C-alpha cells in the first residue's frame, strides 16, 4: 500500500482524534490498572445513564474490544508506516480548511472528564463522533498532543502512574548513591587499613601505613626494661639511657598493599590481627655500661657458689647440694640482656638464666660425686670377718668411716693415699696379732720337759700387700664376707702353738728324734747332731720344714780356692730342712746317740743309721714342722 493510500485511510475528523485518545486511555488502563481494582470493577453494578441501559453499555464495550484490533497478519509493518522523513503531519490530518471548523480542538470547549473510566467513555459517546471499533492505522502523534491527552487520564490513574515513576526514580537514585558510596569507601580504604585491623596490639582501623608506623614508634619511645637478679631489688634501664629507637621493616606497608580496597566492608564484621617485627636500634656500648652499673654486678654484692659434697650425717652418707651463689658472669649477663632488649621484652630475670651466674663446678648430679656417694655407702655396708682358727676379727663400716676425712662442714675429703694407708695399717695390725713367724712357742717334749722354741721360718705369715689390695676392693664394693687373710706362709694349726699334732721332734740334748702323726708316734731314732766343739758346726735350734728329698746325693763342704771342697760324702738319702742342714744316712758311723755330738759331731746335719734314714725318707712330708731344741 502506498504512503498516499495509507494517508487516505486515516480519518481526518475530530471524532477520529477522539478515537485515538480512547485507544491510548485503554492501553494506559491496562498498564496502570491495580489488580485489586480490577477485581472490584468486575463486581461493580453500572447504573443507566442518559436513558441508555447497562446492556447497551456493555455491548458497546464488547463491540469495541472485539473489533478493536485485527491480527498482526492484517498489517505489513513495512507498508503500514511511512518513514520519518516522509511523514507530514498536515498531510496526515489535513489542514483546518480541509476539515472545517469542527476539526479544531477547542481547549475551552473540551470539558475535562470527571474521575472514573465510565464518565470518560460517556463523554466520548456524547460527542457522537465515534466511528467503527476496527483498529485504524497508527498515526504519528506529536509529543505535545500525547502529553495533552495523558492529562485527560483519570486523577487516580495519574497519581498511581506518578507514584510508580517516583518510586522507580528513587530506587534508581538509591542504587546510584549506594554505588557512589561504595566506590567512595573503596577509594578511602585504598591507602588505609580496614576497620577491625590490629597490628602488634594497636587498633589500626582507618589508619594509613605512616600513621601505624608512627604509633609503633610511639610505642617504643617510652621503652624500658626491668632487670631482676638474685638477692637484689629490680632495677630499670630506660630506652633513653641506651639511645633506643624504632626502625621500620616495611612489613606494615606490605600488609596494607596486600589489602584489597574493594573488600572494605569485611572490616565491619571481621577482625584481623597481625604481628610485625618491631625493629629497633640502640647503643650496645651504653647497654654494656648499664650492665656493669647494676647492683648485682658489683663485687661487694657477689658470693661464690659452693660445690656439692658427700657428708656423713644421721649415721649415713648423703650428698649436700651445691649452693648457687650470686657471682655474676658479666659477659653472659650482657648477652642475655642484649637479646631481651632486641626482642623488646619488658623484663628479664637473671635468676632464671643459669648462665648469667658462675655455677658450682660440682653439682649434686655430678657422676663422680654420685660414685663417691656410692663408695661411701659401700664403706658403711662392707663387712669382712677374718678367721684365725678359733679366733675372728671383723672389719665393718663403724671402723671404715673413721678412716675417711671430712672438713669442718662435714664434706668428705677424697684422699686415696690416706684411705689406702688406713687399710695397710689395718692389715699390718692383723699380721702383728695373728702371725706366728718370728715368735717363740711353748713346746712340751716327749721327755716331759717344756721348752720355748723360736722360729723365723715356720708359722703363719700374712701377705700384707696382697691382703691390703683385696681388702680395699671389698670395701669399695660393699662386700660382706668371712674368710682367712691372704698368707705368704702357713703353719699346721692356729694358736700359740701352731705345730698341731703332726710334727718331728728333734731333742738335741738327748740325741733322739720322734715323728708324731696326728698325735701318734710313727717313727723314732737315735742320731748324731753337729759338733758342739765348733760354733759353726752346731745344729741350730728352731722350727723348720723340709725343703726337699734326694736319693742318692753327695754332701759337700765349703768350696776351697782351688775349686775343691772341704769334703765330699756320698749318701743314699738326703732330706734338708735348715739351709745346708738336713737328715741323711751316715754309714761311716758305728754308733749313734749319747754324747758323741759334743766332740765328734757332724758339720751340723742329723746323722741317722742308714736303715732308719731309709724309713724316714719314705714317710716324711714337706709341711711337717721339724722342732729342734736343746
Amino acid at each position: 500500500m502506498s504512503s498516499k493510500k495509507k494517508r487516505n485511510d486515516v480519518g481526518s475528523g475530530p471524532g477520529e482524534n477522539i478515537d485515538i485518545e480512547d485507544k491510548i486511555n485503554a492501553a494506559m488502563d491496562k498498564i496502570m490498572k491495580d489488580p485489586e481494582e480490577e477485581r472490584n470493577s468486575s463486581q461493580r453494578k453500572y447504573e443507566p445513564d442518559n436513558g441508555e441501559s447497562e446492556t447497551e453499555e456493555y455491548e458497546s464495550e464488547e463491540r469495541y474490544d472485539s473489533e478493536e484490533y485485527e491480527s498482526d497478519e492484517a498489517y505489513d509493518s513495512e507498508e503500514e508506516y511511512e518513514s520519518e522523513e516522509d511523514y507530514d503531519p498536515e498531510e496526515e490530518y489535513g489542514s483546518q480548511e480541509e476539515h472545517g471548523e469542527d476539526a479544531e480542538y477547542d481547549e475551552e470547549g473540551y470539558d475535562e472528564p470527571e474521575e472514573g473510566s465510565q464518565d470518560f467513555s460517556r463523554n466520548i459517546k456524547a460527542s457522537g463522533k465515534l466511528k467503527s471499533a476496527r483498529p485504524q492505522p497508527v498515526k504519528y502523534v506529536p509529543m505535545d498532543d500525547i502529553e495533552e491527552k495523558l492529562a485527560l487520564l483519570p486523577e487516580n490513574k495519574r497519581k498511581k502512574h506518578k507514584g510508580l515513576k517516583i518510586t522507580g526514580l528513587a530506587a534508581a537514585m538509591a542504587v546510584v548513591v549506594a554505588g557512589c558510596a561504595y566506590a567512595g569507601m573503596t577509594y578511602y580504604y585504598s591507602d588505609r587499613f580496614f576497620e577491625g585491623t590490629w597490628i602488634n596490639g594497636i587498633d589500626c582501623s582507618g589508619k594509613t601505613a605512616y600513621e601505624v608506623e608512627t604509633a609503633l614508634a610511639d610505642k617504643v619511645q617510652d621503652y624500658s626494661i626491668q632487670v631482676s637478679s638474685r638477692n637484689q631489688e629490680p632495677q630499670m634501664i630506660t630506652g633513653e639511657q641506651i639511645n633506643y629507637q624504632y626502625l621500620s621493616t616495611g612489613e606494615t606497608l606490605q600488609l596494607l598493599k596486600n589489602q584489597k580496597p574493594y573488600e572494605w566492608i569485611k572490616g565491619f564484621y571481621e577482625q584481623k590481627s597481625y604481628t610485625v617485627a618491631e625493629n629497633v636500634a640502640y647503643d650496645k656500648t651504653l647497654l654494656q655500661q648499664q650492665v656493669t652499673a647494676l647492683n648485682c654486678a658489683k663485687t661487694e654484692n657477689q658470693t661464690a657458689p659452693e660445690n656439692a659434697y658427700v657428708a656423713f650425717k644421721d649415721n649415713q652418707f648423703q650428698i649436700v647440694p651445691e649452693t648457687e651463689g650470686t657471682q655474676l658472669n658479666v659477659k653472659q649477663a650482657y648477652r642475655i640482656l642484649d637479646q631481651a632488649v632486641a626482642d623488646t621484652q619488658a623484663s628479664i630475670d637473671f635468676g632464671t638464666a643459669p648462665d648469667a651466674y658462675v655455677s658450682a663446678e660440682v653439682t649434686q648430679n655430678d657422676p663422680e660425686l654420685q660414685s663417691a656417694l656410692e663408695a661411701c655407702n659401700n664403706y658403711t655396708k662392707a663387712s669382712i670377718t677374718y678367721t684365725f682358727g678359733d679366733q675372728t676379727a671383723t672389719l665393718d663400716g663403724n671402723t671404715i668411716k673413721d678412716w675417711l676425712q671430712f672438713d669442718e662442714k662435714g664434706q668428705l675429703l677424697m684422699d686415696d693415699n690416706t684411705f689406702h694407708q688406713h687399710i695397710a695399717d689395718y692389715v699390718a695390725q692383723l699380721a702383728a696379732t695373728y702371725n706366728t713367724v718370728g715368735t717363740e712357742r711353748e713346746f712340751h717334749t716327749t721327755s716331759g720337759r717344756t721348752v720355748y722354741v723360736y722360729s723365723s721360718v715356720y708359722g703363719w705369715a700374712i701377705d700384707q700387700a696382697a691382703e691390703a689390695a683385696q681388702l680395699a676392693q671389698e670395701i669399695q664394693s660393699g662386700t660382706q664376707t668371712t674368710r682367712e687373710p691372704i698368707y705368704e706362709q702357713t703353719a699346721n694349726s692356729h694358736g700359740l702353738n701352731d705345730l698341731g699334732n703332726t710334727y718331728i721332734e728333734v731333742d738335741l740334748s738327748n740325741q733322739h728324734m720322734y715323728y708324731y702323726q696326728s698325735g701318734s708316734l710313727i717313727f723314732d731314732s737315735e742320731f748324731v747332731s753337729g759338733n758342739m766343739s765348733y760354733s759353726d758346726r752346731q745344729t741350730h735350734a728352731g722350727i723348720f720344714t723340709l725343703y726337699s728329698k734326694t736319693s742318692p746325693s753327695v754332701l759337700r763342704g765349703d768350696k776351697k780356692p782351688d775349686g775343691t771342697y772341704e769334703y765330699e760324702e756320698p749318701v743314699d738319702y738326703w732330706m734338708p730342712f735348715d739351709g745346708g742342714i738336713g737328715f741323711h744316712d751316715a754309714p761311716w758311723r758305728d754308733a749313734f746317740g749319747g754324747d758323741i755330738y759334743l766332740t765328734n759331731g757332724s758339720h751340723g746335719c742329723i746323722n741317722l743309721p742308714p736303715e732308719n734314714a731309709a724309713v724316714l725318707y719314705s714317710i716324711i712330708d714337706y709341711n711337717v714342722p721339724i722342732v729342734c731344741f736343746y
Side-chain angles (χ1 to χ4, degrees):
M1 182 183 294
S2 65
S3 300
K4 186 175 182 180
K5 188 175 182 179
K6 282 193 280 185
R7 285 194 297 272
N8 291 337
D9 286 343
V10 178
S12 58
E16 292 168 352
N17 290 336
I18 294 174
D19 189 24
I20 293 171
E21 294 174 359
D22 192 16
K23 291 177 182 179
I24 293 172
N25 288 334
M28 291 302 296
D29 284 343
K30 289 181 181 180
I31 296 171
M32 305 298 295
K33 195 168 188 66
D34 188 355
E36 187 65 28
E37 187 177 344
E38 286 181 356
R39 287 193 298 270
N40 294 336
S41 63
S42 65
Q43 299 174 1
R44 188 181 302 156
K45 301 293 183 178
Y46 293 92
E47 297 295 333
D49 186 17
N50 294 332
E52 294 179 1
S53 66
E54 182 178 341
T55 304
E56 292 174 350
E57 181 73 21
Y58 277 100
E59 286 176 357
S60 172
E61 291 183 6
E62 213 171 44
R63 258 192 329 269
Y64 180 82
D65 291 339
S66 62
E67 297 178 0
E68 182 69 28
Y69 299 104
E70 294 178 358
S71 66
D72 293 341
E73 297 176 359
Y75 298 93
D76 186 340
S77 60
E78 293 184 1
E79 295 180 0
E80 184 67 26
Y81 300 102
E82 297 175 345
S83 66
E84 191 172 345
E85 296 176 357
D86 298 335
Y87 181 79
D88 186 358
E90 292 204 0
E91 184 178 349
E92 181 74 25
Y93 289 92
S95 63
Q96 278 191 356
E97 292 85 4
E98 184 178 348
H99 291 285
E101 294 179 358
D102 293 337
E104 289 183 347
Y105 286 93
D106 188 358
E107 291 181 3
E108 293 180 359
Y110 190 91
D111 293 334
E112 183 176 338
E114 297 180 3
E115 292 182 346
S117 59
Q118 296 179 19
D119 294 337
F120 184 59
S121 300
R122 283 196 295 269
N123 289 337
I124 295 174
K125 291 176 183 179
S127 66
K129 298 178 182 179
L130 286 173
K131 298 181 70 176
S132 172
R134 185 179 182 83
Q136 298 298 322
V138 178
K139 298 178 288 296
Y140 175 81
V141 181
M143 289 301 297
D144 293 342
D145 294 342
I146 293 175
E147 290 175 358
E148 180 180 348
K149 292 174 178 57
L150 288 174
L152 300 178
L153 289 173
E155 184 67 22
N156 63 337
K157 299 297 183 180
R158 285 187 288 118
K159 288 181 178 179
K160 189 175 295 183
H161 182 60
K162 184 177 181 180
L164 286 175
K165 288 173 65 179
I166 293 172
T167 301
L169 181 60
M173 290 179 66
V175 171
V176 173
V177 170
C180 292
Y182 187 85
M185 293 298 286
T186 299
Y187 177 77
Y188 176 79
Y189 284 108
S190 63
D191 63 346
R192 297 174 182 273
F193 286 100
F194 292 161
E195 299 298 316
T197 301
W198 292 77
I199 299 177
N200 288 19
I202 298 175
D203 186 2
C204 301
S205 303
K207 287 185 171 62
T208 64
Y210 174 77
E211 291 172 338
V212 174
E213 293 282 13
T214 302
L216 291 173
D218 292 341
K219 181 181 176 182
V220 303
Q221 183 177 6
D222 297 329
Y223 174 76
S224 63
I225 184 169
Q226 178 178 277
V227 181
S228 300
S229 58
R230 295 174 183 169
N231 302 336
Q232 297 294 325
E233 292 294 327
Q235 292 179 270
M236 300 294 295
I237 297 177
T238 64
E240 184 179 358
Q241 291 175 315
I242 57 175
N243 196 18
Y244 194 85
Q245 297 177 356
Y246 172 78
L247 296 178
S248 174
T249 61
E251 293 182 60
T252 302
L253 181 60
Q254 187 60 44
L255 286 176
L256 183 60
K257 288 181 178 180
N258 294 339
Q259 182 178 272
K260 296 179 175 60
Y262 58 83
E263 295 180 347
W264 59 268
I265 199 169
K266 287 183 178 181
F268 291 94
Y269 62 84
E270 183 179 291
Q271 181 171 306
K272 291 188 176 181
S273 179
Y274 303 97
T275 300
V276 299
E278 295 182 0
N279 197 20
V280 295
Y282 52 91
D283 192 326
K284 294 182 178 291
T285 301
L286 293 177
L287 182 62
Q288 290 177 358
Q289 295 174 0
Q290 291 299 319
V291 172
T292 56
L294 293 171
N295 290 334
C296 60
K298 295 179 180 179
T299 305
E300 61 270 21
N301 295 328
Q302 298 189 33
T303 57
E306 294 184 1
N307 293 334
Y309 60 91
V310 175
F312 188 79
K313 294 182 178 180
D314 302 327
N315 295 323
Q316 65 177 349
F317 288 98
Q318 55 186 286
I319 292 178
V320 177
E322 71 279 4
T323 59
E324 292 180 331
T326 59
Q327 186 175 352
L328 192 69
N329 187 337
V330 179
K331 289 184 179 180
Q332 190 62 31
Y334 164 74
R335 294 190 186 98
I336 295 171
L337 182 60
D338 178 55
Q339 186 62 47
V341 172
D343 294 340
T344 65
Q345 295 183 21
S347 63
I348 184 68
D349 186 358
F350 288 149
T352 60
D355 293 341
Y357 290 91
V358 176
S359 301
E361 295 180 359
V362 180
T363 66
Q364 58 183 335
N365 297 322
D366 185 90
E368 292 185 2
L369 189 63
Q370 294 291 336
S371 298
L373 176 64
E374 183 179 358
C376 291
N377 285 329
N378 286 337
Y379 296 161
T380 58
K381 185 170 62 175
S383 177
I384 296 91
T385 300
Y386 292 100
T387 59
F388 303 95
D390 295 335
Q391 294 179 301
T392 61
T394 300
L395 175 65
D396 58 20
N398 291 327
T399 301
I400 297 172
K401 70 179 180 61
D402 295 334
W403 299 349
L404 304 175
Q405 292 182 313
F406 301 89
D407 61 13
E408 64 279 2
K409 294 182 179 179
Q411 180 176 356
L412 175 65
L413 301 176
M414 295 300 296
D415 187 347
D416 289 341
N417 292 332
T418 303
F419 182 72
H420 283 288
Q421 185 59 49
H422 281 290
I423 294 176
D425 291 344
Y426 178 79
V427 173
Q429 183 179 358
L430 288 178
T433 305
Y434 298 100
N435 278 1
T436 57
V437 174
T439 63
E440 196 174 58
R441 297 160 183 82
E442 184 179 77
F443 182 72
H444 298 282
T445 69
T446 302
S447 63
R449 291 186 302 141
T450 299
V451 296
Y452 293 89
V453 184
Y454 174 85
S455 176
S456 61
V457 294
Y458 174 82
W460 297 101
I462 296 174
D463 188 339
Q464 297 187 38
E467 178 56 35
Q470 176 72 20
L471 181 59
Q473 182 180 358
E474 290 174 344
I475 290 175
Q476 291 174 355
S477 61
T479 302
Q480 298 179 352
T481 185
T482 300
R483 65 177 179 85
E484 286 188 335
I486 300 174
Y487 289 105
E488 63 179 348
Q489 182 177 316
T490 61
N492 279 355
S493 66
H494 289 281
L496 294 177
N497 186 351
D498 54 6
L499 299 175
N501 53 13
T502 298
Y503 57 89
I504 297 174
E505 177 183 342
V506 179
D507 189 344
L508 296 174
S509 297
N510 293 323
Q511 295 288 289
H512 202 95
M513 64 172 296
Y514 308 91
Y515 191 165
Y516 290 92
Q517 190 174 57
S518 300
S520 299
L521 181 64
I522 61 172
F523 172 81
D524 72 295
S525 175
E526 291 181 334
F527 61 82
V528 175
S529 62
N531 193 337
M532 296 296 292
S533 300
Y534 302 93
S535 60
D536 58 343
R537 293 183 181 185
Q538 296 177 4
T539 303
H540 302 148
I543 303 174
F544 310 97
T545 56
L546 186 68
Y547 294 153
S548 64
K549 295 192 305 181
T550 306
S551 177
S553 182
V554 178
L555 304 178
R556 293 182 175 89
D558 295 334
K559 195 173 185 179
K560 296 186 294 185
D562 59 2
T564 62
Y565 295 94
E566 291 182 354
Y567 64 89
E568 289 185 327
E569 193 71 43
V571 295
D572 291 328
Y573 306 101
W574 170 238
M575 294 165 279
F577 60 82
D578 180 16
I581 297 174
F583 298 109
H584 64 81
D585 56 311
W588 58 87
R589 287 188 181 275
D590 295 331
F592 295 90
D595 56 1
I596 299 172
Y597 75 100
L598 295 177
T599 58
N600 191 25
S602 68
H603 287 79
C605 290
I606 305 297
N607 294 166
L608 293 173
E611 64 276 13
N612 291 347
V615 173
L616 180 63
Y617 187 89
S618 65
I619 63 175
I620 193 171
D621 290 329
Y622 286 99
N623 60 348
V624 175
I626 302 171
V627 183
C628 300
F629 59 91
Y630 287 93

